[in-house]
Amino acid sequence: MKSKKKSYKWVPYLFLIPYLIAFFAFRFGPSIAGFFISLTRWNIVGQAKFVGFTNFVELFKDPNFIKSLVNTLYFMLLTVPSLVIGGLLIAMLVDQPLKGRMAARTFVFMPYVIMSTVVGVIWLWIFDTHFGILNYYLGFLGIKPIAWLSSINWAMPAVAIATVWWTIGFNMILFLAGLQDIPNELKEAARIDGASSWQVFWNVTLPLLTPTTIVVVMLTLINTFQVFAQVYVMTGGGPSLATLTVVQYMYVQSFQYYRLGYGSAIAYVIFMFLVAFILIEKKFLKRFGDEN
């Protein structure tokens, strides 16, 4: 009997084997290979030349990389607060017992199922300077046509608007699930003790949403730092590199200039930035949850 139980304990691991094969073949393996490629000069064909950490040193002397990094941080500044706070506010609204809330949830989430390239094409049409629907309606308010995608000042905000429209529904769903896990008894008890709506939200709802908020902020940071498709379709990184992001710069270096070593070095810098963001975010939000 004992030997039979011992043989069964390996069964769960056998079910994991197909996933682990795919994970090592398409995720872990290429990631490790990418690190070794980042230490070389290699243009796909021919033999790779080992150069150590030269690619990493060159990276931080490259003005286009610095520009792409600044642009990406600017894009995050435009989108992350809107996606997190906006997602929470919409989730709280559609969590109320209002008529049509199911339709509202579907309507907000619907853009998220659209492919990113299609999102780019849709907003390319909406932001068109001469024939775009946005400038058409702004004209009724007496606002002159704005060169959304060809202006250095407006191109990145335009991409940010498209991104918020596209992905805010996903954050709403996560926050909605978190809100529905909070027992109503806790809120009722706070109201009986004389707490106002704001005090209930700040002292009961928000602290209990901390685990959900950590996940939402983490995913939002990762996704916004890796923005690519909508920028590629809507602006191609222009005008004058105003919307060039780090992932797009990695793509250009790797697959247009065939500098695979340099592109891999950019990929690892992106990875290090993401790890730093997540560690800072987790520490900050965990402290907020503990204090409340």
Side-chain angles (χ1 to χ4, degrees):
M1 188 70 179
K2 196 173 178 181
S3 62
K4 198 173 181 182
K5 277 187 179 177
K6 197 173 180 181
S7 63
Y8 282 152
K9 77 176 185 181
W10 294 103
V11 172
Y13 299 102
L14 293 177
F15 283 104
L16 283 174
I17 288 176
Y19 166 76
L20 290 175
I21 291 173
F23 174 76
F24 279 97
F26 298 108
R27 285 282 187 178
F28 188 73
S31 298
I32 298 299
F35 176 72
F36 288 106
I37 292 172
S38 72
L39 304 177
T40 66
R41 289 197 195 281
W42 188 37
N43 59 357
I44 297 182
V45 294
Q47 193 168 1
K49 181 184 177 185
F50 181 77
V51 294
F53 289 94
T54 305
N55 287 327
F56 290 91
V57 175
E58 282 184 16
L59 205 54
F60 288 96
K61 295 178 183 175
D62 181 348
N64 288 339
F65 174 73
I66 301 297
K67 175 74 175 171
S68 69
L69 191 59
V70 171
N71 286 343
T72 305
L73 295 174
Y74 176 45
F75 176 78
M76 293 175 75
L77 188 67
L78 292 175
T79 53
V80 173
S82 304
L83 287 169
V84 175
I85 298 172
L88 175 60
L89 293 177
I90 295 172
M92 292 176 68
L93 180 65
V94 298
D95 192 39
Q96 301 301 313
L98 301 173
K99 196 174 180 180
R101 62 177 177 171
M102 291 303 294
R105 292 174 188 175
T106 306
F107 180 76
V108 175
F109 184 72
M110 199 179 293
Y112 190 71
V113 302
I114 303 174
M115 287 178 63
S116 54
T117 48
V118 177
V119 170
V121 172
I122 291 172
W123 283 92
L124 200 60
W125 173 70
I126 292 173
F127 283 131
D128 187 277
T129 307
H130 303 292
F131 307 105
I133 192 170
L134 185 57
N135 276 343
Y136 175 77
Y137 284 109
L138 288 177
F140 287 112
L141 302 174
I143 300 173
K144 291 181 180 178
I146 298 172
W148 292 99
L149 300 176
S150 55
S151 160
I152 292 174
N153 296 325
W154 284 107
M156 188 61 90
V159 175
I161 290 170
T163 304
V164 170
W165 172 82
W166 177 40
T167 56
I168 199 168
F170 180 68
N171 287 356
M172 176 206 71
I173 290 294
L174 295 179
F175 275 126
L176 190 60
L179 286 170
Q180 292 180 347
D181 272 348
I182 298 174
N184 280 327
E185 292 82 3
L186 294 176
K187 297 179 187 174
E188 290 300 324
R191 289 192 187 99
I192 291 170
D193 287 341
S196 63
S197 298
W198 170 253
Q199 288 171 324
V200 172
F201 169 74
W202 187 256
N203 296 311
V204 179
T205 306
L206 205 53
L208 292 174
L209 268 182
T210 302
T212 306
T213 308
I214 289 174
V215 172
V216 170
V217 174
M218 182 174 66
L219 292 177
T220 306
L221 286 172
I222 292 172
N223 292 333
T224 52
F225 197 77
Q226 297 184 98
V227 59
F228 172 70
Q230 55 271 46
V231 174
Y232 187 77
V233 173
M234 291 173 68
T235 63
S240 302
L241 305 181
T243 58
L244 181 70
T245 60
V246 281
V247 173
Q248 190 185 2
Y249 192 55
M250 178 188 71
Y251 170 80
V252 169
Q253 291 296 322
S254 300
F255 301 109
Q256 291 187 356
Y257 298 152
Y258 298 109
R259 301 178 67 192
L260 290 192
Y262 200 67
S264 298
I266 296 173
Y268 264 86
V269 170
I270 292 172
F271 173 72
M272 287 186 278
F273 266 96
L274 289 177
V275 170
F277 284 145
I278 291 166
L279 291 177
I280 293 169
E281 175 252 340
K282 277 189 74 174
K283 193 170 183 179
F284 174 77
L285 288 178
K286 192 170 183 303
R287 181 180 293 178
F288 174 81
D290 292 341
E291 288 177 355
N292 289 275

